[in-house]
Every structure is written in C-alpha cells, then in structure tokens.
C-alpha cells in the first residue's frame, strides 16, 4: 500500500499523476523547526516527521512539506490578512525560493530529498495585493500564494520544477518511488 501523509489537496492531485493507488493518512506532528536550520534541511526534516508515524515496515509512505524563502527568511502560511499582505509585499518584484522536501519510506529503505525552484514576482501594487488577498487563496499556502490558481498572475518567471511550487516535485518523486 502507498500512503500519502498529507492533507493537501494539491499533493493528492499531483501524486495522482504518478498513481491513483494510494491512501491518505495524516497525524498531528510538532512542526517546530530547530533554530538556524537551512531551508532545504527544514523541509526535509518536516517531511520526515510527517511520514514517520505511518512507517510500519510494510507500506510505502510519502511525507512532504513546502516552504517559501525570501531574503533569508522562511515564510509559512499567513495567519491573517495583514500577514498575507506583508508576505506578498515582501515577494513583490523579487526572486524567492520554494523548497519542497520529500521523504519516501519503503520497507527496505528511506529516502529524503529536497527540490528548490526559483520564482520571480512582478512588481505588485497595493491594489493587486489586496485584490489577490480578497480571493482567499493566500491563507493555506506557504508564502501566501498558490501558483496553480490566481497566484499565477503574480508570477513573472519561474526557474525549475513548476510542480515543486505547487507542493510536490512529481518527476523526482517518481524517480525515487520506482528505482
């Protein structure tokens, strides 16, 4: 059995590109990060702790986590409208990095990796930021935007794996699932 340890509807949809033969399980885990952890190590750490509760030595388990970083700062999911506004203002006109960490626990081995994608936003006006926040898209997404929705209108360019920005680097995951 393949278990996706994530309640993200986007990850469910992306894993469906690889296979429809999986189930979803989630556990409440403490997502506190060790201090001064690098972004790639942070998402790898979080993907491990999300997958670990379902490691039973029989099933294959996938855990994943995505973060956005800009100017050395990790941006999680916005807490409220002001937080979403501040995040989007911070991303305006700049490149930022989206990191997704993935852990695949198989009966015979465990693999953890991370993928970085660079994204550049257009210079955004206050009106554009507020209009985007009014869509309610920012609230359950790292960095306060979803590239697969109306957040795509904020993006000037992307360097790397698009699916990584959505929340699961599909081609790399496929490589590790079936090697």
């Amino acid at each position: 059995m393949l278990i996706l340890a994530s309640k993200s509807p986007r990850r469910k949809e992306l894993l469906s590109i690889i296979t429809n033969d999986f189930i979803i399980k989630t556990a409440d885990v403490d997502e506190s990060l060790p201090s001064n952890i690098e972004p790639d190590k942070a998402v790898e750490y979080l993907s491990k702790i999300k997958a670990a509760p379902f490691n039973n030595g029989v099933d294959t388990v996938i855990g994943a986590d995505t973060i956005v970083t800009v100017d050395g700062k990790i941006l999680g999911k916005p807490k409220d409208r002001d937080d979403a506004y501040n995040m989007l203002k911070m991303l305006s006109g700049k490149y930022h990095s989206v990191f997704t960490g993935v852990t695949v626990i198989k009966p015979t081995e465990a693999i953890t990796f991370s993928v970085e994608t660079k994204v550049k936003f257009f210079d955004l006006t206050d009106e554009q930021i507020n209009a985007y926040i009014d869509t309610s898209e920012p609230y359950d997404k790292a960095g306060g935007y979803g590239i697969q929705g109306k957040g795509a209108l904020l993006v000037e360019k992307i360097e790397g794996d698009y699916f990584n920005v959505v929340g699961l680097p599909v081609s790399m995951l496929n490589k590790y699932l079936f090697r």
Side-chain angles (χ1 to χ4, degrees):
M1 176 64 61
L2 179 60
I3 298 168
L4 174 61
S6 174
K7 56 187 163 207
S8 164
R10 292 165 299 282
R11 288 197 184 101
K12 176 184 176 187
E13 183 181 333
L14 292 174
L15 184 55
S16 296
I17 294 171
I18 299 171
T19 181
N20 285 311
D21 190 18
F22 65 92
I23 62 170
I24 294 172
K25 291 188 177 183
T26 60
D28 288 327
V29 295
D30 178 5
E31 295 189 35
S32 303
L33 291 170
S35 60
N36 299 322
I37 190 168
E38 293 296 318
D40 59 332
K41 299 303 176 205
V43 290
E44 290 175 9
Y45 170 81
L46 292 169
S47 73
K48 286 179 191 175
I49 65 170
K50 289 179 176 183
F54 307 105
N55 181 9
N56 59 18
V58 176
D59 297 317
T60 297
V61 183
I62 300 167
D65 195 78
T66 302
I67 61 170
V68 172
T69 64
V70 62
D71 301 331
K73 181 177 167 67
I74 294 176
L75 304 181
K77 296 175 184 177
K79 297 175 194 67
D80 54 30
R81 185 178 185 92
D82 288 342
D83 200 23
Y85 176 87
N86 291 332
M87 284 184 188
L88 294 167
K89 193 72 170 173
M90 215 182 301
L91 298 174
S92 176
K94 294 183 186 171
Y95 274 99
H96 59 276
S97 291
V98 179
F99 291 90
T100 299
V102 179
T103 295
V104 178
I105 302 173
K106 298 179 182 180
T108 57
E109 67 177 333
I111 304 145
T112 299
F113 65 93
S114 58
V115 174
E116 177 183 10
T117 302
K118 300 257 189 205
V119 179
K120 184 173 191 278
F121 269 21
F122 288 107
D123 286 316
L124 304 175
T125 65
D126 288 348
E127 293 77 21
Q128 289 170 312
I129 292 172
N130 284 311
Y132 180 63
I133 294 170
D134 288 343
T135 69
S136 297
E137 270 190 13
Y139 296 110
D140 68 338
K141 295 168 184 72
Y145 75 98
I147 197 168
Q148 73 282 2
K150 293 190 181 299
L153 304 176
L154 311 176
V155 176
E156 182 177 344
K157 62 175 85 170
I158 179 172
E159 296 172 12
D161 184 342
Y162 165 81
F163 294 116
N164 185 57
V165 182
V166 179
L168 197 64
V170 176
S171 58
M172 284 292 280
L173 174 58
N174 186 65
K175 175 183 164 189
Y176 285 114
L177 272 176
F178 300 108
R179 68 181 194 150

